Amino acid sequence: ADRFRSLHLPGASPVEEASRAMVPLRRAAGVALLLVASLSTAASVTDVTRCVHGELDEQSKACQCFEGWATAGITDTLDFLEGVCEQYKCESDAKCEEVLGIPGATCPVQGWNCYCGWAWAFSNLGHGWETASKRGGGECMGVMYTFSVFTTHIVETIM
């Protein structure tokens, strides 16, 4: 019952009460404004010449990814907004091991980064380890997808 009691403050005018009630809304609006500003800033300062695993097409001003790579998906937000070639498209377990040089690297979902385990997921600020070569090479899943695949393996084992 205490959670639902009135916001009425003894001696406060209705204007003061309304103003006090608006504080959380003003804070939320401020946070939303900062989020929008940071996203628009990120989009406006993008470096389209940084294609990473591709080259810039001067005519379209878009990254053209090398074979085996694609532009980042929405879950890799900044690279997605920039249109950067940061999504490795794995084909098989053997290919993941070969291009990464990591024994046991797998391709649980074709077209995704390789699953290399936790030791490799935290590299690159949690984005996942990747080869230095811009052409060829490959990339390990970062923390978020490693957690997903790891958890799926546990559930499959239990069931």
Side-chain angles (χ1 to χ4, degrees), residues 70-151:
T71 54
I74 188 68
T75 56
D76 186 356
T77 310
L78 291 179
D79 287 337
F80 171 77
L81 291 173
E82 292 179 342
V84 174
C85 302
E86 273 288 346
Q87 175 65 53
Y88 178 66
K89 299 188 308 184
C90 75
E91 300 169 9
S92 67
D93 295 349
K95 186 79 171 174
C96 283
E97 285 187 332
E98 175 191 330
V99 299
L100 295 169
I102 300 173
T106 63
C107 179
V109 180
Q110 286 188 348
W112 285 15
N113 291 338
C114 300
Y115 175 74
C116 307
W118 287 108
W120 303 95
F122 286 98
S123 294
N124 201 9
L125 299 174
H127 187 266
W129 186 82
E130 65 186 82
T131 57
S133 62
K134 301 304 176 195
R135 283 190 188 272
E139 183 173 9
C140 296
M141 292 179 180
V143 172
M144 183 173 70
Y145 283 100
T146 295
F147 176 77
S148 176
V149 172
F150 178 78
T151 304

Side-chain angles (χ1 to χ4, degrees), residues 5-6 8 16 20 28 31 45 49 58 61 64 84 100 103 113 116 120 123-124 146 151 156 158:
R5 74 180 160 194
S6 170
H8 178 71
E16 290 171 324
R20 185 176 182 93
V31 168
V45 298
T49 62
E58 291 297 332
K61 298 296 183 202
Q64 298 300 311
V84 174
L100 295 169
N113 291 338
C116 307
W120 303 95
S123 294
N124 201 9
T146 295
T151 304
E156 287 175 340
I158 293 170

Side-chain angles (χ1 to χ4, degrees), residues 8-79:
H8 178 71
L9 301 172
S13 73
V15 172
E16 290 171 324
E17 286 183 19
S19 178
R20 185 176 182 93
M22 294 298 292
V23 169
L25 292 175
R26 285 193 302 261
R27 285 186 185 142
V31 168
L33 183 61
L34 284 173
L35 179 60
V36 168
S38 66
L39 285 176
S40 65
T41 300
S44 67
V45 298
T46 57
D47 180 6
V48 293
T49 62
R50 187 184 78 89
C51 291
V52 185
H53 297 281
E55 294 174 339
L56 183 66
D57 179 324
E58 291 297 332
Q59 187 174 16
S60 67
K61 298 296 183 202
C63 292
Q64 298 300 311
C65 302
F66 296 139
E67 185 178 344
W69 292 88
T71 54
I74 188 68
T75 56
D76 186 356
T77 310
L78 291 179
D79 287 337

